[in-house]
Amino acid sequence: MPKLGLNIDKYLRTQVLPTVWCPGCGNGNIVEGLATAFSRMEVDPTRVVVVGGIGCSGRTPFYVQTNAMHTTHGRALAYATGLKMAQPDLTVVVTAGDGDALAIGGNHFIHAARRNIDLTVLLYNNGIYGMTGGQRGPTTPFGSRTTTSLAGNIERTFDTVEIAMAAGATYVARTTTFDMQEIPLRIQEAMAHPGFAVVEILTQCPTYYGSLNQLGDASDMLIWQRDLTDGVPVKMLNREELLGPLRTGVFRNEKVTEFTQAYSDLCSQVGGNYGHN
Amino acid sequence: MPKLGLNIDKYLRTQVLPTVWCPGCGNGNIVEGLATAFSRMEVDPTRVVVVGGIGCSGRTPFYVQTNAMHTTHGRALAYATGLKMAQPDLTVVVTAGDGDALAIGGNHFIHAARRNIDLTVLLYNNGIYGMTGGQRGPTTPFGSRTTTSLAGNIERTFDTVEIAMAAGATYVARTTTFDMQEIPLRIQEAMAHPGFAVVEILTQCPTYYGSLNQLGDASDMLIWQRDLTDGVPVKMLNREELLGPLRTGVFRNEKVTEFTQAYSDLCSQVGGNYGHN
Amino acid sequence: MATIERDQVRIRLAGRGSQGIMLGGTILAEAAVIDGLMVAEIQEFGPEARLGAAKADLIISKGQIAFPVVHQADFLLCLSRPAYVRYSTTLSMNGLMIAEETLREEMGDSFRVTYIPFRAAALELGKELYSNIIGLGALAALSNAVTKESLQNAVRARVETETLTENLAALDIGYELGYKQVPQQIGSRWANAAR
Amino acid sequence: MATIERDQVRIRLAGRGSQGIMLGGTILAEAAVIDGLMVAEIQEFGPEARLGAAKADLIISKGQIAFPVVHQADFLLCLSRPAYVRYSTTLSMNGLMIAEETLREEMGDSFRVTYIPFRAAALELGKELYSNIIGLGALAALSNAVTKESLQNAVRARVETETLTENLAALDIGYELGYKQVPQQIGSRWANAAR
Amino acid sequence: MNPEPNKNNQKLVMGNEAVAMGAIAAGCDFFAGYPITPATEILEEMSKMLPPRGGVFLQMEDELSAIAAVIGAAWGGSISMTATSGPGFSLMQENLGYASITQTPCVVVDCQRGGPSTGLPKLASQGDVMQARFGSHGDRPTLVITASSVNDCYESTVFAFKMSQKHRMPVILLIDGVIGHIREPVELPPAPPPRKATFPKIDADSPRFGDAPFVPFGHGPVTVVTGLAHQSNGLAETQKGSHTEQMIRTTIENICRDPEIIDSWALKYQLDDADVAIVAYGITARSAREAADLLRADGIKAGLLDLKILWPFPNEILRELAGKVAAIIVPELNLGQMVLPLKAAVGGRVVVHSLNRADGTLLTPNDIAEFAAKQLNSIEERTHA
Amino acid sequence: MNPEPNKNNQKLVMGNEAVAMGAIAAGCDFFAGYPITPATEILEEMSKMLPPRGGVFLQMEDELSAIAAVIGAAWGGSISMTATSGPGFSLMQENLGYASITQTPCVVVDCQRGGPSTGLPKLASQGDVMQARFGSHGDRPTLVITASSVNDCYESTVFAFKMSQKHRMPVILLIDGVIGHIREPVELPPAPPPRKATFPKIDADSPRFGDAPFVPFGHGPVTVVTGLAHQSNGLAETQKGSHTEQMIRTTIENICRDPEIIDSWALKYQLDDADVAIVAYGITARSAREAADLLRADGIKAGLLDLKILWPFPNEILRELAGKVAAIIVPELNLGQMVLPLKAAVGGRVVVHSLNRADGTLLTPNDIAEFAAKQLNSIEERTHA
Amino acid sequence: MTSLTIRIGDQIPIRIGTETEVRYEQNGASLTIRRIYCKSCLLCIEACPMNILRLDQDDLIQVTEIGKCIFCGACAGRCPDFVFVLAPEKGEK
Amino acid sequence: MTSLTIRIGDQIPIRIGTETEVRYEQNGASLTIRRIYCKSCLLCIEACPMNILRLDQDDLIQVTEIGKCIFCGACAGRCPDFVFVLAPEKGEK
């Protein structure tokens, strides 16, 4: 979107740009969406921590001019849980890829959701492992080609939204880098939500997913994303078609006791005073 | 159930009895159910592997007179996945507790379900860590007392059935050690099902869960289980009540391409011959 | 290899989980502390702790306790049959087993064992659960490891108020039952072991 | 410390990811193998491989290659501006940079650099993608590291049939472009470096 | 059951409880863990002690997340700790490396059990002493403290926290299932009132790593933390890890010459005139002390070097000892681990005999004394021959 | 891009590809892994090579499950392998211990990168050599093989599989990102046709562990496998781990006296008349070989001991060497790891100098030669003084 | 393991305390009580419709009046420890 | 970093190849092109409704005819690399 009138540079660590990502990668658009949300919400950068895992998306914390924690593969949510519990009035945003959050980090994802701890998770879903060069992941669509599924992926695909909801996330949304206006809106909603909030963002990987599956360049992949998500109701997990349609939007937005609040209540109950700095 | 006419001793490793479990623990009833299912299905013990993790339930493989693999904490399903893929005509049954399968092993649980690999999972849910002496777990009901939640558990509770279904399990059932006749029936169905089959079995832990929550002895806990599950529709995850009702029965039983079959097809497609011994 | 007189007693308490062995160990250790003695106590823990025979091990000593674990016990209190079967081999060469009377018939007499009717005495007091305190009393009388006063104080500190009277009574009974065995059982072997 | 004549050439190919640097490295290595030479080739890998300047390093040698990594290159082929900026410091003291002609204006002339219009030549052939093969040709002419025949055979083995004709033509063009520079650039320094 | 005071002011405390009490005394206000025998009591005690103090107790989904949460909490300004045993300690290795490279103060307790794998969960072991130093990939500075009594458990824990903050690094407290479960009378000060940690003020341009003080998120200007090699400003260096190598080397140097560490490295018992030195640590040091007495009763001048800090290894102390005694005996409840750095340190100046046992059973004073006597006899035999 | 043959029958093969080809040659029919730099190509190659052979390729959800699946598959009768790098290797430590205690044949490749933590993913390192030995809790037998060329990658992999089956243990192949990514011309035999592993026939009463042959599930009578200490029939022993301790000791003895291992332990280069020996391994051995040449060109009689098997450590070879040379130089891409067992082995018979670098940059021949020359000079200075 | 077989209707021994397995037979059917596995959990006692089970002084299960036993299998069904084995009249399958 | 500012309507320099940042101003509004961040992905080129963006020979983005620019922000919206910054007439907020 035009950045007219909004100085998002304030929320960018411009001295480390350009980003590490390949030409045409949509991750930069998500960073832009995040900086835009920060900008609109006028957050204090010293009171925000962006926590990333390992993988392309995990590099996000380097690019936003807030506190940044680049952790280990799959564990970002566990780090973030400790951090948030230690200082509950910090705003903690977790950026994780589909591999980071749902393959190696799947367990922390479901448990953070179960606890309903006040974290905002931006789940960058490009359907492939980018940083290591294009291997199959848990969200790689059935039948897709990757460097470890050259004859087509035979594994079934996770639906992030389904998993997040079953595990107990209280805000769940999905959007795409095609729908770029939506990204900051969803992030703002998620950050404003007191509880575990997941925004899945489909993002294009032209270098690996696109080229291995002959989807054209980054521009072509945006159109593909649009078609992929074009108003069709969300499918259950069992889809075994290549590139099945996925609905975008907000799937859940419920208020349920948040975990740091529950912990605070517990402490009060036994005479403790939690949450001061 | 009366073992009249059915020699389940053939499927029990009687030389290592009595089991390690506490007096009144329901795990023995599940072993009995498993041996009964084996007996009714007249399985060849050398063609069956029972794989357990760590925790009370993880000891199950020692007590059934089939191949037994007692693995590491949380990883039973990953071991079983390798084993099944290596020799797909083996029957592989995984026994795991709520902590083993859903806390430390949660990730392997959702990924094995996603793949729909032909494993039968008996998920012993006693709502607490027994082997280590009564700590909180991911299925500990909200508000319950454990040795790490003496003031009442403030964490939300996983619903195994919801998680299993969202992750892609194709047979999902729940029963209890009160409904002891059902246990072998569900196990038989699950073993007959070609795909990832989960049977959650609520089982009493009188030593820790029962005594910490003043639920009486093992007999009292059976009645409590009956009341807990008495025909009430399954609840979504968000329940924050102590001891909320849980429906029992079969929640899903669908045929979807099984993973060793999908892998066999892949091999054929590229000229390979998979699955012979 | 030389041996060194350590002025210490190694004690093992064993019985069924329901017999309050763990609490017994704690009370005995506490009594030793009150007496100003050194003590190292370790109770069964971890997997399988709850199956079979529960046990609590103590070393009570006038001096520093270097090696803190009981491999061979000077005094072995056995309240149940499985405990007897499992631990009788851990009695030291000069040790004394103090066992539940009802086991005498099966296990037979020996100069290394003294039988005391803990169960019967406890049931007389109202609950089998008092066996542990009766056992402690007998053990204290036979071993002289701790003073009766300290044991009473330890009981006061560790048992719930509602059952304090019965438990103190149990201690007395145990003490008496043990003391009765002293002429037969106590020679030079333990008379000054700890005090 | 003594130096040992190793009869080996250290080569670095660098350019944008889209310029076929990796394939270039493979073809050059293959040519060396066809020539019966020893070769060690290593291409950029891992995180951030795709950003900025792509590179492929080769050591081509008559004898065994002990230390297999290029820290300082005898020949540095730079097809893009970022590659020039990033790697010019890795040219050895006696090394020769072979750079894209269009960089001459910004970077300036030096006895250590020879500029060749790879881009223009490639576009003339139809695609900028041929820059890599043209570069290989020039490099081979200037370094004498591998024979032209082997390079041709390596191209035949490694490029797709549809573009083989163009790639072989690119090789010829590069060879000519490089050869033209030989009188100016090649003194005693590299004439017999590898062969 | 809570320990009750008695007239001697001595409380009967279990080793694992003493660790938890030491943590509280050191200001620990964050614990994340996962149940595991024989360390579980530390988790349970912390679950009781922290909420009334407003501190955080988290039971995580596994050990991977427990250590991750501990590091996250440290960066949230907490004084944080986890406790586990071998299998969990193995799972923590990757993130322990993260704590090292990010110079994060925290304490990790490994209450050892018999290994490998599930092994002997409730039996005695010293099988993780090399893992505590080398369990992570790559090199990292390590400070590993041990304990051989309940009182030690308390004091070593306090010391571990102090050192973790002083040198901004993860510190490992290595005990074992026996020490963790023994109850002994100890006289401990009452728990201090809850306090929040304070941190120095820094500017946006101040370095964050290397020699810089530790300042968590939200307590100063924006900070970048990464597990990649990085510069002192926190930004990654991916082409060459010089700054990180230097930071690691500096931390190692700092701990090796810290007087507080040097003073605590080892206790000497009857070594002044000793012909034979037993070098031992943890639970085995207790047997070894009695073994030294037994040997002296038999006319052999034996002494004990009781290692209190295992890593960094006290090379100098060992070298000095090697010049004074005729033989060193190293009893360990493993197949011979600390004997390796010990042999490297003494460099052949003295004969070193290893006594090992890894079946879950303790080495008794007699075991050690008899072994030592036998080795000495065989040395003499060789000398006579 | 698949390597193509040329007229010399030499193929240009990358180290990681050679590992995969070696695995196939050794009969590997099961691979489970997870992407990680710089080991990913092994995973990718196996994903291409196994399905057409009817073998199993699994990309698992993480490294924890990858090693678990590999062990499970071994018990399913597969010849199985995984490959990873430091962070993944750290995650595998717990289950590597399981493979050891259950005497499961399998191969684990660690293609090292700079550590600790995420560290320097694509830079050179030898930071995991001690972890490969001591990374798991408890003691386990370890056989760690390394490689310093593409050809080595192939042959060491074949050897690793052979040894893993012979001694029924997990064998670790330790390479690094540079060796893994170098392409060199090699002449390799064609892949053999797929074959299923065969196993001996045993009775229900036959022992399953200890000296017994490995017989997987479904290939014989019912078998019990556990990560608890166990007897030779597989049933757990929880009160005392004597059988397991004995099994571990026996395996260690067996590998230490296996002639195939002894013959492969180390390569000697110009050591016969050497005054100074460089002891190196992996990528650094290549620099060291050239360094030895450089030193000889400068009149210093230098030689190289190139360690091919790191663990068990070749104590005897080092002791012998120590008697012959005046100094040993140990260059390593870490802060000094293999120098520890080396020093323990030589026991002060010779001066040992450690040259270390852990910033991701290789030690060049000049670095090593200059360091060696400098150390020798300072020795001479001391001698003259 | 000591074992005792009792044919119902015969004189029943007064004390079976030290027997680890007791087998009752009637008309070819049998109830075997493997007391060695018993953990004293009381589940069978509460399940028995005839109220003829109790713990002995070693806390192992025993039948007080075998004559009242209806061979219903409730004890076997509830026991988690494989103590009770009922065999039908025709013997084991 | 070299920077060049161009007021639209002025004479436009023919070559801006080596400039890493170019700023176009018109009526107080501005379009800044941080060419140093450009990765040549073409997304802006395909997004530009006026078709006035192309890559130069270093594969960095440049405007061919700034006079045609309508300051719509499509380039900035699609660019994942923060190359384009549009400032409104009133200056930065």
Side-chain angles (χ1 to χ4, degrees), chain D residues 141-176:
Chain D
L142 283 160
S143 69
N144 224 3
V146 295
T147 62
K148 190 175 173 186
E149 296 69 39
S150 297
L151 209 44
Q152 285 169 331
N153 286 332
V155 167
R156 285 190 191 98
R158 294 284 176 168
V159 308
E160 285 167 28
T161 324
E162 306 92 71
T163 62
L164 183 57
T165 314
E166 289 81 355
N167 274 298
L168 287 173
L171 196 60
D172 279 337
I173 293 166
Y175 222 84
E176 285 310 305

Side-chain angles (χ1 to χ4, degrees), chain F residues 320-331:
Chain F
E320 194 193 308
L321 182 66
K324 290 185 182 171
V325 296
I328 291 179
I329 309 290
V330 190

Side-chain angles (χ1 to χ4, degrees), chain B residues 54 70-73 75 99-100 103-104 129 131-137 147-150 155, chain E residues 34-37 40 43-45 47-48 57-64 91 113 117-118 121:
Chain B
I54 297 295
H70 177 239
T71 66
T72 52
H73 193 34
R75 316 299 164 207
D100 196 50
I104 192 167
Y129 284 81
M131 193 62 98
T132 48
Q135 296 78 32
R136 219 210 81 247
T147 64
T148 51
S149 67
L150 285 172
E155 298 208 13
Chain E
Y34 188 81
I36 187 166
T37 303
T40 303
L43 173 92
E44 291 177 336
E45 285 304 306
S47 81
K48 285 178 222 158
F57 168 82
L58 271 184
Q59 188 179 319
M60 294 296 287
E61 53 270 22
D62 56 19
E63 288 93 346
L64 300 160
L91 290 173
R113 62 197 240 177
S117 193
T118 312

Side-chain angles (χ1 to χ4, degrees), chain C residues 94-141:
Chain C
N94 297 317
L96 178 68
M97 162 101 82
I98 306 167
E100 160 61 32
E101 170 64 38
T102 57
L103 296 169
R104 186 197 297 267
E105 188 183 352
E106 186 183 356
M107 304 303 175
D109 282 314
S110 151
F111 76 96
R112 300 179 63 199
V113 186
T114 182
Y115 291 99
I116 293 180
F118 299 116
R119 183 185 160 94
L123 289 173
E124 201 166 309
L125 255 177
K127 272 186 189 163
E128 201 185 336
L129 198 61
Y130 298 124
S131 298
N132 60 344
I133 304 295
I134 300 173
L136 284 189
L139 179 75

